[in-house]
Amino acid sequence: MKLSQSEENYIKSIYNLQSKTEKVNTNSLAAFLDTSAASITDMLKKLKSKNLLEYKKYYGFRLNGAGNKQALKIIRRHRLWEFFLVSKLDMEWEKVHDIAEELEHVSSAELIEKLDRYLGNPKIDPHGDPIPDEKGVMPVLKQIALKDLPHKRNAVISSVSSQTPQMMEMLNHYGIKIGSPIKVLKSFVFDGSLQVKIAKQPECIISGLAAQNIFVYDT
Amino acid sequence: MKLSQSEENYIKSIYNLQSKTEKVNTNSLAAFLDTSAASITDMLKKLKSKNLLEYKKYYGFRLNGAGNKQALKIIRRHRLWEFFLVSKLDMEWEKVHDIAEELEHVSSAELIEKLDRYLGNPKIDPHGDPIPDEKGVMPVLKQIALKDLPHKRNAVISSVSSQTPQMMEMLNHYGIKIGSPIKVLKSFVFDGSLQVKIAKQPECIISGLAAQNIFVYDT
DNA sequence: TTTAATTTTTAGATTTGTCTAAATATTTTT
DNA sequence: AAAAATATTTAGACAAATCTAAAAATTAAA
Ligand SMILES: [Mn+2]
Ligand SMILES: [Mn+2]
Ligand SMILES: [Mn+2]
Ligand SMILES: [Mn+2]
């Protein structure tokens, strides 16, 4: 089934909202997509007629199995392109989302499978979000605090607990970015500080408090 | 100026037809784009109103300076993506056109400049067509005799010195076409003959005389 | 130089995705 | 439980890109 760019954007947005609330409602989707509620209703009818959506008038809606599968396909494309833009073209991870928003609609299956192979079948995008595989299965990644990461384990920065300017300043200084590969070399019992190696950076020391608030995927 | 996908496709097609005939006419563009003549007229009005086109009712049309510049920008994107698909993702050069037809409409300037750098600023796409630079200038490609092509260099058949029936018969037999990627694997000093690999053909031997009369773009 | 053939444009319709404003249904407050 | 507030849907309109069929202009033929 060939979907329009618009239909794909709606499906992806519904998927995202669904992961936060059971049933999605018209206004929240309208707000999310920055369109009118009337447009949402119009599209809901269309997606329902294409059997991608469970939809009961006035009572909210959800993607059904087929809809979810579609959403995961689009998310896969989006995140693979983001990974490409950052890892190969050396773009900054804050900038890649908008471009991936367009690239995700290029629909060749062969393209995406070859891109995936070329990138080394990455499991996490530059924002720390998991990349569904070719069957639409999200990899299960266990997230742990950096302080609990065993030594010498290859891990990837997945998130930080608070996005305050103070935290960002420090992360910036250390060259820590979501998606950066990281490895713990040594830990100091005295204050819980860690000596770590972050990809592309010289080795450095991170305080125990920071190590509690930085999370990684143990890969 | 932001152009729609449709507008971009029309501009590019007009550019291509223009390179063959001075003025383009409605029916030939309709045939080229496989649409109705009425649709062409509709779009011509639109492109004229956007000052990309010289257009006199019933008397044909041409892109103006701004229109040409736009066309070259789109062609640049198209050919860079084609190069990417073949050289990085290892797709076959016959298959990449349709995908590039979609990718070419992703409009980030930064994306294209980084892609260009990443690919090593290629000058020729996988079909042997030149890639305009970031200013829209088509590169002037140096053409050399196949016999002078260094080993293992990716080159593209650009022309043959004589188009006699005898020559054509031989080219046909070898599956040599303008635009075919070619690579020299080995040369024999004894008679100047070359072992070459032409895209999609099995390896073969070409005589020294033939190798003097076949020209390639060294990429 | 009329007439015929061809090309191009216009008129009017359709589909997709959007909007505003009004109507209707649901939920919350009194 | 009725009124008020909120959420959702419908009605009707619009712009973009397309189409078919008819009209008009140009070109070629008789
Ligand atoms: Mn998108
Ligand atoms: Mn992302
Ligand atoms: Mn295109
Ligand atoms: Mn090409």
Side-chain angles (χ1 to χ4, degrees), chain A residues 36-55:
Chain A
S36 70
S39 300
I40 303 297
T41 305
D42 289 343
M43 185 58 90
L44 291 178
K45 287 179 195 161
K46 206 169 153 201
L47 294 178
K48 180 175 186 175
S49 82
K50 292 198 175 189
N51 291 308
L52 296 164
L53 196 71
E54 283 166 34
Y55 170 42

Side-chain angles (χ1 to χ4, degrees), chain B residues 70-125:
Chain B
Q70 270 300 332
L72 285 160
K73 194 183 278 185
I74 303 158
I75 289 168
R76 170 171 167 77
R77 300 196 291 231
H78 184 102
R79 293 182 182 168
L80 282 174
W81 280 119
E82 284 188 340
F83 189 95
F84 166 75
L85 295 173
V86 168
S87 71
K88 300 292 185 180
L89 297 199
D90 199 33
M91 295 188 71
E92 289 161 50
W93 64 273
E94 301 91 329
K95 286 185 177 176
V96 298
H97 178 84
D98 289 345
I99 297 175
E101 204 56 52
E102 298 188 51
L103 286 166
E104 70 188 356
H105 304 291
V106 177
S107 57
S108 158
E110 186 185 355
L111 166 64
I112 293 303
E113 293 330 306
K114 293 217 155 156
L115 179 63
D116 186 36
R117 194 174 323 151
Y118 175 59
L119 298 174
N121 311 106
K123 299 285 173 286
I124 306 169
D125 85 358

